[in-house]
Amino acid sequence: MSSPTPMPEQVADRLAIRDLVDAYAHLADRRDAQGQAALFTDDARVAVYDGEPDTTEPVQVLNGRDELAEAFGSLRNYDRTTHFNGQCTVTVDGDGATGETYCLAHHLWVEEGQRTLMVMSIRYQDTFVRQGGRWFFAERRLITDWVDRRPSTA
């Protein structure tokens, strides 16, 4: 049995949420910390995990746009970043939604004269809310599945 065909408004909501997810990555790579923070509700929460949330405590918790903007600004420590978003599942329920997005986050910098590349395999587990006709992140759980750090050549 196939799943029911989504209604046009559900498709539009899912596309808008995917645009939000992709805007987050784009703004991260452009070092626009304020722009990233503006994608979140005023009282948003971001929890960072090094492993599964049901088996570990967050290593960092950020609350509100000011804390988020400050944390997002730390990407300026890298010479370049590139975030590749992969599969994204979203379930919409009225003005709320949940979803999970896979991301490979590439970070490049020079350390002690050596160009270094770090690739992080990340899963974002998100709660979204529609406010004023726009979708925002209300809560984001960033789960690091693995990290690969190595010397890199130009």
Side-chain angles (χ1 to χ4, degrees):
M1 175 184 254
S2 63
S3 56
T5 303
M7 302 299 292
E9 60 273 2
Q10 291 172 325
V11 172
D13 286 338
R14 289 165 75 182
L15 285 172
I17 290 169
R18 180 57 194 237
D19 285 348
L20 175 69
V21 168
D22 289 342
Y24 174 88
H26 175 82
L27 293 166
D29 293 336
R30 298 303 172 269
R31 308 297 187 280
D32 185 348
Q34 293 297 327
Q36 274 184 284
L39 300 175
F40 290 78
T41 59
D42 290 334
D43 61 346
R45 178 179 187 268
V46 173
V48 180
Y49 295 87
D50 189 17
E52 292 293 333
D54 56 349
T55 60
T56 63
E57 291 295 315
V59 295
Q60 183 179 26
V61 176
L62 305 163
N63 293 292
R65 286 183 177 158
D66 290 341
E67 285 185 22
L68 293 172
E70 184 177 334
F72 297 154
S74 69
L75 287 176
R76 291 185 194 101
N77 295 329
Y78 301 102
D79 295 331
R80 297 276 187 262
T81 61
T82 303
H83 292 73
F84 287 107
N85 289 328
Q87 63 266 36
C88 180
T89 58
V90 174
T91 302
V92 178
D93 185 13
D95 287 335
T98 57
E100 182 173 62
T101 302
Y102 283 57
C103 177
L104 289 176
H106 300 70
H107 302 76
L108 189 63
W109 73 99
V110 176
E111 183 175 59
E112 296 178 10
Q114 171 64 57
R115 184 172 137 158
T116 303
L117 173 66
M118 177 176 62
V119 179
M120 300 171 67
S121 176
I122 296 170
R123 284 179 293 126
Y124 296 109
Q125 293 178 342
D126 296 311
T127 303
F128 307 97
V129 63
R130 182 180 8 227
Q131 294 178 342
R134 275 187 61 203
W135 286 99
F136 293 91
F137 294 102
E139 182 175 2
R140 177 158 252 210
R141 296 192 306 178
L142 185 159
I143 303 155
T144 303
D145 286 326
W146 55 263
V147 176
D148 183 14
R149 179 179 167 158
R150 64 181 108 161
S152 174
T153 57

